Amino acid sequence: MTQGNCPSCGAAVEFTAGSAQVLVCGHCQTVVAKKGLDLEAHGKIGAIVDTYSPLRLHVEGRVDGEGYRVVGHLQKDHGEGLWDEWYVEFDSGRTAWLSEAEGAWYLLFAEGSAADLQLKELVPGHRFRFKEYRLREHQLVVEERGYGRVVAAEGQLPQDLDPSVDSHYVDATSARGLFVTLDFGQWGSNPDIFMGRKLKLEELGIPPDQLRPKVKKVALQQARCTQCNGPLELRAPDQSKRVACPYCGALLHVRKGGSLAFLQLLEKPDHPFRLSLGAKGILDDTPWIIIGMMVRSCTVEGVRYPWDEYLLYNPERGFTWLMDSNGHWVFLTPLEAGLVSVAPGVAAHMMGKRYRAFQRVTAVTETVLGEFYWTVTAGETATTEEYVAPPHSVNVEGTGKEVTYTRGEYLAPEVVREAFKLKEPLPEPQGIAPSQPNPHPSPATWSWALVWGAVLLAVYLGVNILAANEKVLDKVVRLSPDARSGTATAVWFSEPFEIRKRGNVRVELSAAVNNGWFGLEGELLNQENGEVIGFYEEVGFYSGSDSDGSWSEGSQSETEFLSSVSPGRYVLRAQASFDRRPDAYRIGLVSDTPRFLWFFWGLVLLALVPVLSLFRASSFESARWSESNLGSDS
């Protein structure tokens, strides 16, 4: 511990953190540095501005079972607003930085430097690995590249402060939830590496009684538009950086301290929004409130395609989006870039799932209403890419400074209506959305057909097993040399035979014909009730040779089925017809025999449903991908 007096004002100062090299005098804001046993004044730094952070100096917490204490506090500015960074010292002597962004907390530890990295190469979306072996396992994706300078400080800090220079940084994430900040300082290479992870406020292990109450910007809550004096009911005043007046369209900047300053007058939307500012709804089991609304658009081949976006806010989960495009609704939640692997214009992969590239456009912000956590302006542009695996999508939106990833989930209008308890139904969607589920899911119908096909096969096999297949007649009939085709001389009567069970009777006819035909007109005569069942069967066989070689066609045997033959005692009358009289023919009758044909037609009928569904599904997909401006064959 080093104690002494501030070289500037003489107030007592004390270094309690072993890692601290400077401290900020709480009386005169002088930066006091240790030089051996002496203290030196290194100029003055601005006083901390209240940003309504729940943290404060000397707060103690516990992460992963180890206690820590907040010993220093920086505020940085990049011209568009302040952000806080807290310097913490653990019980073991380790130190870390704790920062807050959009409701999430990042605890980062120093991991040395990376001599091989150049700031100019680390553009948003760039993927890289450290060359150093112990850090090489992480593939990182650059999410943001920016700069800022220290404008205010308090407490004890590990190094000197220079409020006159900008410090450049790069934020990146990995697939394993790793968050990395590369601090280049005022240079373009050899950045210091800080690695850690994102935490929720409750995961910081700080007792609730040590946290500052979440005091809202009362002045801003009760603010009025500086242009039209309309009342502005703000829902997230602690995090808002821009406010767009819903009455006159004035875009207002939120100054330090909560006052508003006029920036520009925006055009009002050319259509009413389907949801309203302040509307509350539950999506993803989380209550949300709509705090901002935007009209964005893109232009493709000279045609403007507008859509609406709603900024949703929840104090614990932060911000997310709900998009309405031609009545198609998509719920968008932020993703860490490291979770997604992207082959630009081809596909994106996340958690083992492939998302096919659908479109790349330049989105233009046309109109804004409500509150926004960034310094939104009308006319700002961003390059957006959409990768789809209905009903989900991965969306990549990049500017020159940062790239953001979101995961979309397609919602039916009825889901949105129910979520926000709307009285009137929402309009029916027009056209097909990129991530809209196909309403004709052929896999499901194929599964249905396979199940019923299996049932049908089981029934068929069962019927075959239970069938008698009894041969009631098997006779070789010799024709008289005097037999003439189709006359009484070619008629033959069988001996009586018994058919014991109602069912199909299979007729089997064969004759040794060659280059000729043989027909048999038969009648089954029921001797008990006089019923007559007639049939005709014919065989024909032809063969020969020509310039192409030998050939043959036809068959010397055929079968025919007689349906629903009643049990009884029968006699078969058979009259032969022929062009060349064979010496004999064979006739057989098998009773109670199943017929394969009904099983075949059953399968055909079952296949019709999935085939029709496949056709409709294919038509739907063709219509969807006809709207894609990326490779439809990707």
Side-chain angles (χ1 to χ4, degrees):
M1 180 183 297
T2 300
Q3 295 178 321
N5 298 99
C6 172
S8 178
C9 68
V13 294
E14 181 178 62
F15 283 88
T16 58
S19 61
Q21 296 300 311
V22 300
L23 62 75
V24 179
C25 175
H27 295 275
C28 66
Q29 289 300 123
T30 296
V31 178
V32 180
K34 288 193 296 187
K35 288 297 181 182
L37 297 177
D38 299 326
L39 301 178
E40 293 181 353
H42 283 194
K44 293 182 182 293
I45 191 74
I48 292 292
V49 174
D50 193 353
T51 55
Y52 309 97
S53 171
L55 297 194
R56 55 188 172 186
L57 281 181
H58 313 308
V59 161
E60 296 181 347
R62 182 171 290 273
V63 172
D64 297 334
E66 185 177 2
Y68 67 87
R69 183 167 63 101
V70 176
V71 296
H73 181 195
L74 293 178
Q75 283 185 334
K76 294 182 177 180
D77 192 357
H78 51 22
E80 296 181 349
L82 295 174
W83 76 89
D84 296 283
E85 294 184 359
W86 303 86
Y87 184 57
V88 302
E89 191 172 76
F90 282 81
D91 295 342
S92 63
R94 291 194 306 162
T95 60
W97 287 96
L98 189 58
S99 60
E100 181 184 13
E102 298 169 15
W105 293 86
Y106 298 88
L107 182 64
L108 306 178
F109 296 88
E111 294 288 351
S113 61
D116 55 303
L117 293 180
Q118 302 293 320
L119 177 64
K120 62 181 180 182
E121 297 174 351
L122 300 178
V123 297
H126 178 72
R127 295 172 185 272
F128 68 98
R129 292 179 186 271
F130 292 114
K131 289 186 177 179
E132 188 175 344
Y133 178 76
R134 66 186 178 88
L135 304 176
R136 195 183 301 165
E137 62 176 311
H138 305 291
Q139 185 183 56
L140 298 160
V141 182
V142 175
E143 289 197 12
E144 182 178 0
R145 184 174 73 174
Y147 64 91
R149 65 176 59 185
V150 177
V151 296
E154 63 178 347
Q156 304 171 69
L157 299 161
Q159 60 192 29
D160 208 351
L161 304 175
D162 186 353
S164 65
V165 298
D166 286 329
S167 178
H168 297 271
Y169 67 89
V170 168
D171 289 337
T173 58
S174 80
R176 300 179 182 176
L178 184 71
F179 187 91
V180 173
T181 291
L182 302 174
D183 186 353
F184 285 84
Q186 56 182 315
W187 315 111
S189 60
N190 302 327
D192 292 329
I193 305 171
F194 295 89
M195 302 177 70
R197 69 183 193 272
K198 183 167 69 174
L199 298 169
K200 297 178 180 178
L201 178 60
E202 56 269 26
E203 293 176 315
L204 298 180
I206 301 173
D209 60 354
Q210 291 195 37
L211 296 173
R212 294 181 59 197
K214 200 71 175 177
V215 180
K216 294 188 175 181
K217 297 179 181 177
V218 176
L220 191 54
Q221 273 189 300
Q222 300 172 349
R224 288 182 174 273
C225 175
T226 60
Q227 294 302 106
C228 69
N229 201 36
L232 301 173
E233 184 182 355
L234 305 185
R235 284 90 182 177
D238 299 337
Q239 303 192 51
S240 296
K241 294 182 179 178
R242 287 282 192 273
V243 178
C245 176
Y247 305 106
C248 66
L251 183 63
L252 309 169
H253 170 61
V254 180
R255 290 170 168 161
K256 299 173 185 176
S259 63
L260 299 175
F262 173 74
L263 288 176
Q264 66 180 127
L265 192 63
L266 305 176
E267 292 186 5
K268 292 188 176 181
D270 58 2
H271 63 273
F273 287 97
R274 288 169 177 147
L275 301 177
S276 57
L277 280 175
K280 297 179 181 178
I282 297 177
L283 290 171
D284 195 23
D285 298 325
T286 302
W288 301 95
I289 183 170
I290 297 176
I291 67 169
M293 304 189 296
M294 306 170 64
V295 177
R296 304 181 81 191
S297 71
C298 65
T299 301
V300 179
E301 297 179 349
V303 180
R304 171 180 171 267
Y305 296 91
W307 67 90
D308 298 338
E309 293 185 8
Y310 299 87
L311 178 59
L312 310 182
Y313 175 69
N314 173 275
E316 281 73 37
R317 289 190 52 176
F319 300 96
T320 192
W321 292 94
L322 182 63
M323 185 175 73
D324 170 21
S325 178
N326 287 330
H328 298 280
W329 296 84
V330 179
F331 181 59
L332 299 161
T333 52
L335 284 176
E336 293 177 355
L339 293 173
V340 184
S341 174
V342 176
V346 179
H349 294 81
M350 184 180 70
M351 302 176 71
K353 190 173 183 178
R354 184 178 187 270
Y355 296 75
R356 186 176 169 187
F358 188 85
Q359 62 182 345
R360 179 190 296 125
V361 299
T362 299
V364 180
T365 301
E366 296 184 348
T367 305
V368 297
L369 290 177
E371 311 162 58
F372 298 89
Y373 60 86
W374 77 100
T375 53
V376 63
T377 58
E380 68 181 15
T381 61
T383 300
T384 66
E385 293 181 356
E386 184 172 14
Y387 300 84
V388 300
H392 298 116
S393 62
V394 168
N395 303 275
V396 185
E397 183 163 327
T399 64
K401 297 179 181 178
E402 63 178 341
V403 60
T404 58
Y405 287 69
T406 54
R407 178 179 182 271
E409 180 181 4
Y410 184 90
L411 301 179
E414 193 58 31
V415 174
V416 178
R417 180 192 179 193
E418 178 63 25
F420 287 89
K421 304 299 180 188
L422 303 179
K423 295 180 180 178
E424 300 295 330
L426 292 164
E428 289 294 318
Q430 302 296 313
I432 298 175
S435 60
Q436 181 180 356
N438 193 320
H440 313 292
S442 58
T445 54
W446 277 110
S447 299
W448 173 86
L450 286 175
V451 169
W452 283 105
V455 172
L456 184 62
L457 177 61
V459 172
Y460 176 73
L461 293 176
V463 169
N464 271 275
I465 292 173
L466 297 175
N469 281 307
E470 182 183 9
K471 178 145 290 189
V472 296
L473 178 66
D474 188 9
K475 182 71 174 179
V476 175
V477 180
R478 297 194 174 278
L479 292 171
S480 165
D482 299 330
R484 288 180 297 171
S485 175
T487 66
T489 58
V491 173
W492 170 81
F493 284 89
S494 72
E495 294 295 327
F497 56 88
E498 193 80 23
I499 292 178
R500 298 183 176 86
K501 187 177 180 182
R502 174 182 287 275
N504 296 328
V505 171
R506 185 172 71 245
V507 179
E508 300 171 345
L509 174 66
S510 61
V513 293
N514 188 16
N515 291 322
W517 60 272
F518 176 83
L520 192 69
E521 182 177 357
E523 291 180 340
L524 274 179
L525 307 175
N526 190 322
Q527 293 182 318
E528 297 171 353
N529 58 18
E531 182 183 10
V532 178
I533 302 173
F535 65 89
Y536 178 80
E537 187 58 271
E538 181 178 301
V539 297
F541 183 79
Y542 300 86
S543 63
S545 62
D546 54 21
S547 58
D548 295 329
S550 300
W551 59 270
S552 65
E553 64 180 23
S555 174
Q556 293 179 332
S557 61
E558 295 288 350
T559 59
E560 172 72 14
F561 282 85
L562 307 179
S563 301
S564 299
V565 177
S566 302
R569 189 174 179 81
Y570 287 85
V571 170
L572 174 64
R573 176 186 181 277
Q575 178 174 300
S577 301
F578 43 81
D579 58 350
R580 295 180 183 179
R581 180 181 58 79
D583 292 337
Y585 63 89
R586 175 181 169 275
I587 181 72
L589 298 177
V590 180
S591 71
D592 191 24
T593 178
R595 194 174 188 183
F596 176 78
L597 192 61
W598 66 262
F599 174 68
F600 170 77
W601 284 113
L603 290 179
V604 170
L605 290 175
L606 283 176
L608 282 178
V609 176
V611 168
L612 179 60
S613 177
L614 178 63
F615 173 76
R616 299 176 68 185
S618 298
S619 299
F620 184 90
E621 292 300 324
S622 297
R624 182 207 305 275
W625 290 98
S626 67
E627 298 297 322
S628 169
N629 67 358
L630 294 178
S632 59
D633 58 346
S634 61

